[in-house]
Amino acid sequence: GRQEDAHEYARCLIDRMKESNLKGISPKPTYAESETCAIHRMFGFRLCSTIRCTSCEYRSETHEPAMDLSLEVLRAKSLHNALADFTSQELLDGSNQYKCPRCHNRVRAVKQFTVDINPNILTVQLKRFDLRLMGGKIDKWIEYPKQLNLGPYTTAGGKVLYNLYGVLVHSG
């Protein structure tokens, strides 16, 4: 009785498979226990958010587990553009300055997301909804390759190749 989109359906399906795979481990599995699950080993990965103080060069890293990569496509013409935008450096300045634990002041800093631990199967969601648009849906062509090198968007760099296996499209 609820309106859902294709991404929510896919997320729900993968989450239920993961829960089913974890049954019997413990009533509420820890993250470390859930990492051992076959579904997590297939789809799970880790993002790294790095903040670097431009005054003293202090670096802060935060790691976040993920099962899919959600990318903004409003300004992107391709999957590569969306990935480059997602992993581009952002200047924290003005009212958005960083409170550096070493400087003990609000300072300019540079923030960047990267994929830190690569998934075996990469699931990408193209965010096609924007409330600022009439109708809300971004209805434009997004180019994506049959083979994607995720390497430039990772912490380590190098070559990390994925072959396109399927596309799930929400219609309506």
Side-chain angles (χ1 to χ4, degrees):
R2 295 185 327 214
Q3 184 174 349
E4 305 287 343
D5 67 14
H7 175 252
E8 289 170 308
Y9 174 76
R11 280 279 20 99
C12 184
L13 179 63
I14 291 171
D15 288 345
R16 295 306 167 267
M17 288 189 308
K18 187 175 177 180
E19 286 172 14
S20 176
N21 201 256
L22 288 168
K23 274 192 174 154
I25 290 180
S26 69
K28 187 168 179 161
T30 65
Y31 180 74
E33 289 171 327
S34 74
E35 280 185 313
T36 65
C37 153
I39 303 302
H40 182 86
R41 287 194 314 266
M42 281 189 269
F43 296 100
F45 63 99
R46 189 171 77 177
L47 293 172
C48 180
S49 172
T50 305
I51 300 177
R52 181 182 51 82
C53 173
T54 58
S55 296
C56 71
E57 297 299 315
Y58 172 82
R59 286 175 57 95
S60 166
E61 284 189 1
T62 306
H63 298 100
E64 181 181 326
M67 296 291 278
D68 62 11
L69 198 53
S70 292
L71 302 175
E72 301 284 343
V73 294
L74 184 60
R75 292 181 307 275
K77 293 180 179 171
S78 69
L79 180 58
H80 285 290
N81 292 147
L83 282 163
D85 189 43
F86 180 77
T87 59
S88 67
Q89 293 185 348
E90 174 188 353
L91 181 63
L92 304 177
D93 197 11
S95 63
N96 196 25
Q97 285 186 326
Y98 174 65
K99 174 85 165 122
C100 179
R102 187 182 292 161
C103 294
H104 304 289
N105 288 320
R106 290 206 156 299
V107 294
R108 292 177 77 192
V110 176
K111 180 179 180 177
Q112 183 178 25
F113 281 107
T114 53
V115 175
D116 191 45
I117 296 176
N118 304 318
N120 287 310
I121 299 172
L122 175 64
T123 305
V124 177
Q125 176 210 9
L126 302 179
K127 293 183 183 179
R128 290 188 163 279
F129 192 75
D130 191 326
L131 292 173
R132 296 172 290 187
L133 301 174
M134 291 291 287
K137 191 170 182 182
I138 300 167
D139 191 20
K140 68 176 187 175
W141 179 259
I142 303 294
E143 181 183 323
Y144 51 89
K146 288 184 179 180
Q147 187 175 67
L148 171 70
N149 178 12
L150 192 65
Y153 315 107
T154 64
T155 306
K159 252 190 176 171
V160 183
L161 298 177
Y162 291 92
N163 291 314
L164 179 62
Y165 180 76
V167 178
L168 178 61
V169 177
H170 176 93
S171 179

